[in-house]
């Protein structure tokens, strides 16, 4: 597996780039597009599952779960927390695109474990406007998975809440631990 830490970034390295990380990404896309063939899929996930997970760069969800392109909808945010916007995405995923199962994945060593709602106050002091969103920080990752499962199961907008399962991904071992919802 190649990580960005192992990708050359100095002038004269094997991968040419114009300077910014975004330039590197655009150049990578040009190489990707040159060999791209339309897979002929639509937006409906083959496995009829939506995965909600943290945005942490250490989580390679497709590899960790044995997923292929087109298998699932993936919804990511800080902490993998079920917020109103996640409910919005899950509702569209279920009602318009046919998903039936929801998998929630938090992880060990999450950055939200070290934040508090004081983060919002600090932002307000810095920029002069209080963010409308909550930080959704937590101290107990397992309890936060339970809370997220409960939010999905009790949402009036979701048609399918019987197959909702939550897990903690261990960033050191790569293993998932299922969390009992009770």
């Amino acid at each position: 597996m190649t990580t960005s830490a192992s990708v050359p970034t100095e002038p004269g390295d094997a991968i040419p780039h114009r300077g910014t990380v975004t330039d590197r990404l655009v150049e990578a896309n040009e190489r990707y597009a040159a060999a791209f063939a339309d897979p002929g899929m639509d937006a409906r996930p083959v496995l009829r599952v939506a995965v909600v997970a943290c945005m942490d760069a250490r989580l390679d969800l497709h590899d960790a779960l044995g997923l292929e392109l087109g298998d699932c909808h993936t919804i990511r945010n800080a902490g993998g927390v079920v917020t109103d916007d996640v409910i919005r995405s899950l509702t569209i995923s279920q009602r318009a695109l046919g998903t039936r199962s929801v998998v929630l994945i938090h992880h060990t060593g999450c950055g939200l474990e070290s934040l508090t709602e004081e983060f919002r106050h600090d932002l307000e002091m810095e920029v002069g406007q209080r963010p409308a969103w909550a930080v959704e920080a937590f101290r107990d990752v397992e309890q936060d998975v339970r809370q997220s499962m409960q939010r999905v199961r009790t949402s009036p907008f979701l048609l399918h809440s019987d197959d909702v399962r939550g897990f903690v991904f261990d960033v050191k071992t790569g293993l998932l631990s299922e969390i009992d919802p009770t």
Side-chain angles (χ1 to χ4, degrees), residues 44 48-50 87 90-104 149-165:
R44 295 175 185 275
R48 298 171 69 168
V49 63
I87 294 294
L90 287 172
T91 301
I92 293 166
S93 178
Q94 286 189 358
R95 291 179 176 264
L97 297 165
T99 60
R100 299 290 180 262
S101 301
V102 178
V103 173
L104 305 171
M149 284 190 282
Q150 184 65 16
R151 286 178 177 174
V152 172
R153 288 190 172 125
T154 59
S155 173
F157 305 110
L158 299 175
L159 294 172
H160 307 284
S161 58
D162 54 322
D163 188 12
V164 178
R165 293 172 64 185

Side-chain angles (χ1 to χ4, degrees), residues 68-168:
E68 300 291 329
L69 181 67
D71 281 348
C72 72
H73 283 158
T74 306
I75 304 161
R76 295 181 79 155
N77 67 16
V81 177
V82 175
T83 61
D84 286 345
D85 195 56
V86 168
I87 294 294
R88 171 189 161 270
S89 294
L90 287 172
T91 301
I92 293 166
S93 178
Q94 286 189 358
R95 291 179 176 264
L97 297 165
T99 60
R100 299 290 180 262
S101 301
V102 178
V103 173
L104 305 171
I105 301 177
H106 286 34
H107 66 91
T108 58
C110 185
L112 282 187
E113 291 176 297
S114 63
L115 289 178
T116 66
E117 289 299 319
E118 188 67 22
F119 182 79
R120 288 175 67 209
H121 174 74
D122 293 345
L123 280 173
E124 181 180 16
M125 293 297 99
E126 180 183 329
V127 303
Q129 182 177 340
R130 186 166 185 83
W133 40 264
V135 174
E136 298 276 357
F138 53 85
R139 295 280 179 248
D140 182 336
V141 67
E142 292 184 13
Q143 183 55 36
D144 201 66
V145 171
R146 285 184 195 93
Q147 177 177 300
S148 290
M149 284 190 282
Q150 184 65 16
R151 286 178 177 174
V152 172
R153 288 190 172 125
T154 59
S155 173
F157 305 110
L158 299 175
L159 294 172
H160 307 284
S161 58
D162 54 322
D163 188 12
V164 178
R165 293 172 64 185
F167 301 85
V168 174

Side-chain angles (χ1 to χ4, degrees), residues 32-33 35-42 69:
Y32 171 80
F36 183 78
D38 180 359
M41 301 175 183
D42 70 12
L69 181 67

